Amino acid sequence: MKTYTDLPSDAGSNIIGQVTAQANRLQQRLTSVKHTVAVMSGKGGVGKSSLTANLAAALTLKGNTVGVVDADINGPTLAKMMGVRTATLEYTPTGVKPAITALGTKLISMDLLLAEDDAPVLWNAHSQKDAFTWRATMEVGALREFIADTEWGNLDYLLLDLPPGTDRLPNVAELIPNLGGIVVVTIPSEVSQLIVKKSVTMARDILKVPIIGVVENMAFYICQHCGEEEPLFSADETPDTAFQQTLLGSIPFDPRLAHANDNGTPYIDKYPDTPASKALVQVAKKIQDFFGEKT
Ligand SMILES: Nc1ncnc2c1ncn2[C@@H]1O[C@H](COP(=O)(O)OP(=O)(O)OP(=O)(O)O)[C@@H](O)[C@H]1O
Ligand SMILES: [Mg+2]
């Protein structure tokens, strides 16, 4: 059997032409987006998706028109967190209409395109050797399609929830040359902060993407009985000055946040007076400040 690497040409598919047309559509779509923000982390499970969902809600509640791209193609979670998992996408001749949350935030996610609830995203390569390149190429393709073929309309903010790892950022920076900035999420542990430094170096020095700041998630735990703040991870570590200068906020651990995520309810809307909600709203405000927008 011939694999795609054996083909002397594009076998008549005009793949270059198709990708170029889509890249042009993407640039065209981005002209109606004021600010693009990528939410990333070096490590998995630190709260990128929770932060993205709640920042989107906070910015929407402030009167902004907000779109979200669940750029985690293999492990999409935002449709569930934002309460639109059962939404049916509407296709029009000019693209697909995003799902719209109860608050009015727009979302596109691989999760909304999979037919079955338990269907995984499979990238078929012809050999183990090709699998990595193939997956990376397909991921970038899917992301390009998500942004280019979604009818976003005019947006004040387009947030991208990236999968874990610093290696995804170059792809995003290439797709969105005028990326407004990145928000790096971490947890208070030495390993996590070490990876934050790598992400910051990659973004700032190699890709020349503006860094909006760092969000420290699950920073502490508030005792439900005595109200004291208890550290959740390493207690005796003081973050260095460079880290503190870029800090947009420290979000405490709150079991109600995890619960709200699981139920697809916007936590900041349901529990507006909790320390975590106040910190999340403050981060959203700092993002608006970064872009010089009135809050
Ligand atoms: N501050 C918090 N308080 C309580 N639970 C939280 C908090 N932040 C995140 N969580 C929970 O922790 C888990 C991981 O969060 P989330 O999925 O947002 O991380 P992630 O960085 O997007 O993960 P991945 O790298 O897999 O994409 C989820 O169950 C989420 O509900
Ligand atoms: Mg995630």
Side-chain angles (χ1 to χ4, degrees):
M1 188 178 82
K2 278 187 188 294
T3 75
Y4 66 91
T5 49
D6 300 322
L7 294 173
S9 68
D10 65 4
S13 68
N14 186 23
I15 187 77
I16 304 282
Q18 284 187 47
V19 170
T20 311
Q22 205 177 51
N24 290 340
R25 274 207 304 283
L26 181 142
Q27 293 314 321
Q28 189 56 37
R29 290 274 187 217
L30 288 175
T31 56
S32 55
V33 178
K34 251 172 131 179
H35 308 296
T36 42
V37 177
V39 179
M40 68 169 293
S41 74
K43 255 172 71 66
V46 294
K48 293 173 294 298
S49 303
S50 311
L51 180 74
T52 308
N54 280 285
L55 285 182
L59 290 167
T60 305
L61 285 168
K62 280 268 178 197
N64 296 290
T65 312
V66 182
V68 178
V69 176
D70 186 347
D72 196 338
I73 309 290
N74 293 286
T77 51
L78 277 179
K80 183 169 170 60
M81 283 189 187
M82 296 172 70
V84 290
R85 192 131 201 271
T86 53
T88 314
L89 295 179
E90 192 189 325
Y91 296 87
T92 73
T94 50
V96 59
K97 293 201 169 163
I100 302 196
T101 71
L103 294 180
T105 313
K106 300 175 181 182
L107 170 75
I108 195 83
S109 166
M110 193 56 138
D111 207 12
L112 299 166
L113 303 172
L114 297 172
E116 310 285 336
D117 245 19
D118 52 0
V121 178
L122 295 174
W123 309 117
N124 290 321
H126 295 280
S127 71
Q128 193 55 41
K129 184 168 73 60
D130 294 336
F132 187 72
T133 328
W134 189 233
R135 197 190 71 166
T137 311
M138 295 296 278
E139 273 187 14
V140 175
L143 203 53
R144 189 189 302 111
E145 204 168 311
F146 273 0
I147 305 170
D149 293 344
T150 303
E151 287 205 38
W152 297 106
N154 289 330
L155 293 181
D156 294 308
Y157 293 92
L158 180 64
L159 308 183
L160 291 102
D161 175 26
L162 303 193
T166 44
D167 54 335
R168 286 356 200 272
L169 192 61
N171 295 338
V172 174
E174 200 182 317
L175 284 179
I176 309 176
N178 58 346
L179 188 66
I182 63 161
V183 172
V184 185
V185 188
T186 185
I187 53 171
S189 80
E190 207 173 331
V191 238
S192 187
Q193 284 173 31
L194 194 74
I195 302 169
V196 166
K197 285 183 188 153
K198 287 189 202 300
S199 313
V200 169
T201 310
M202 153 96 87
R204 188 190 49 209
D205 301 343
I206 304 173
L207 302 171
K208 316 279 183 221
V209 174
I211 294 156
I212 303 175
V214 176
V215 173
E216 189 184 35
N217 189 28
M218 309 194 216
F220 52 91
Y221 177 77
I222 300 169
C223 173
Q224 310 243 323
H225 306 290
C226 65
E228 281 285 311
E229 288 183 7
E230 308 275 354
L232 198 61
F233 293 96
S234 47
D236 48 16
E237 191 190 318
T238 319
D240 62 29
T241 332
F243 179 86
Q244 278 172 343
Q245 277 168 356
T246 55
L247 201 62
L248 294 173
S250 293
I251 321 290
F253 181 87
D254 183 349
R256 287 169 295 183
L257 175 47
H259 197 245
N261 282 340
D262 289 345
N263 286 319
T265 320
Y267 168 81
I268 58 143
D269 192 39
K270 187 161 185 205
Y271 303 101
D273 299 323
T274 59
S277 280
K278 287 181 182 161
L280 285 160
V281 169
Q282 197 56 23
V283 172
K285 186 183 172 312
K286 286 192 180 169
I287 293 174
Q288 288 184 285
D289 291 345
F290 176 86
F291 290 113
E293 296 289 349
K294 284 205 180 74
T295 51

